[in-house]
Amino acid sequence: MSNNKLKEYRVILASASPRRQQFFREMEIDFTVHPIHVNEIYPDHLKGAEISDYLAKLKAAGYENKLETKDILITSDTVVWHNNVSLAKPADLKEAFSMLKTLSNDWHEVITSVCFTTKDRQKIVNQCTRVKFKELTYSEIENYIQNYNPFDKAGGYGIQDWIGLIGIEEIQGSYTNVVGLPTQLVYKTLMAMAD
């Protein structure tokens, strides 16, 4: 059904994330991949979803005046928000350890914003999921940052990774949103744009 409704459109996913690309395949949406690299810098006064909204829109700006009539460009950004601080992708092992130690035994929010851009309009949607880690031990955090890849993930962890399997006690909201794409919201928005 999705392919029938979208068959006249070219869906462009501007993301190098293998997780987001896999979700699009699993939703049976035909798409092309054109990653956009921008300096993810945002004004200091922005908080939570304002940050991910801003960055998703900033990524779309890289395609300005390049879209055809039937193109739908999809850009997105995920923010881990904890104690009024945005936890981005960690720069090194020390920062990754510090982030996971901060998230240990506490709730945080994972917010993903998705920007849909066509030649003549733009729509931004976002979803927030609350996640609670158990109290992580030093050796658990050390094992994760030494044997997995925390550096390409906001907050320094992937819920689908080992640390998520052994460490997450509770989740309130969309699981796929925490992985990096609120699939139900994306599908619903795409279908509405194709009407």
Side-chain angles (χ1 to χ4, degrees):
M1 160 153 177
S2 60
N3 282 337
N4 288 340
K5 206 165 187 184
L6 290 169
K7 66 182 178 183
E8 295 177 17
Y9 294 87
R10 181 172 71 136
V11 176
I12 304 165
L13 178 61
S15 174
S17 164
R19 297 170 296 280
R20 288 182 180 137
Q21 292 173 25
Q22 183 62 28
F23 279 143
F24 269 81
R25 283 191 288 273
E26 290 172 356
M27 287 189 289
E28 300 179 0
I29 295 170
D30 290 332
F31 66 99
T32 59
V33 177
H34 289 284
I36 294 175
H37 301 288
V38 299
N39 287 329
E40 297 187 8
I41 299 168
Y42 55 87
D44 290 340
H45 67 274
L46 298 182
K47 296 183 180 301
E50 295 171 343
I51 297 170
S52 50
D53 281 1
Y54 179 91
L55 292 174
K57 192 172 179 179
L58 181 67
K59 291 172 184 177
Y63 256 85
E64 201 169 6
N65 302 321
K66 295 178 184 174
L67 295 175
E68 302 294 332
T69 304
K70 292 291 189 177
D71 288 349
I72 302 175
L73 174 71
I74 298 173
T75 54
S76 60
D77 192 78
T78 299
V79 166
V80 171
W81 188 249
H82 180 253
N83 289 342
N84 254 359
V85 175
S86 174
L87 302 181
K89 297 169 184 174
D92 52 36
L93 290 170
K94 184 178 178 183
E95 192 172 14
F97 188 95
S98 175
M99 281 184 185
L100 287 169
K101 191 67 184 161
T102 299
L103 295 175
S104 175
N105 198 34
D106 202 1
W107 285 93
H108 63 275
E109 294 179 340
V110 180
I111 307 157
T112 301
S113 296
V114 186
C115 181
F116 299 81
T117 306
T118 67
K119 197 172 177 67
D120 55 8
R121 63 182 166 147
Q122 189 171 71
K123 182 176 179 65
I124 299 175
V125 298
N126 61 60
Q127 192 152 42
C128 176
T129 304
R130 296 187 74 233
V131 180
K132 184 177 189 294
F133 267 110
K134 76 177 187 76
E135 188 164 359
L136 298 167
T137 67
Y138 178 95
S139 61
E140 287 167 345
I141 297 173
E142 192 71 17
N143 177 62
Y144 181 65
I145 63 175
Q146 292 291 341
N147 296 298
Y148 295 85
N149 183 17
F151 306 111
D152 70 338
K153 301 171 183 78
Y157 80 94
I159 193 171
Q160 71 279 9
D161 293 343
W162 176 83
I163 196 83
L165 297 176
I166 64 99
I168 289 175
E169 284 185 345
E170 198 171 341
I171 179 171
Q172 296 174 353
S174 165
Y175 169 81
T176 64
N177 184 53
V178 185
V179 180
L181 194 76
T183 53
Q184 189 274 334
L185 183 58
V186 166
Y187 185 86
K188 175 183 170 184
T189 307
L190 261 179
M191 293 303 104
M193 292 188 82
D195 277 342

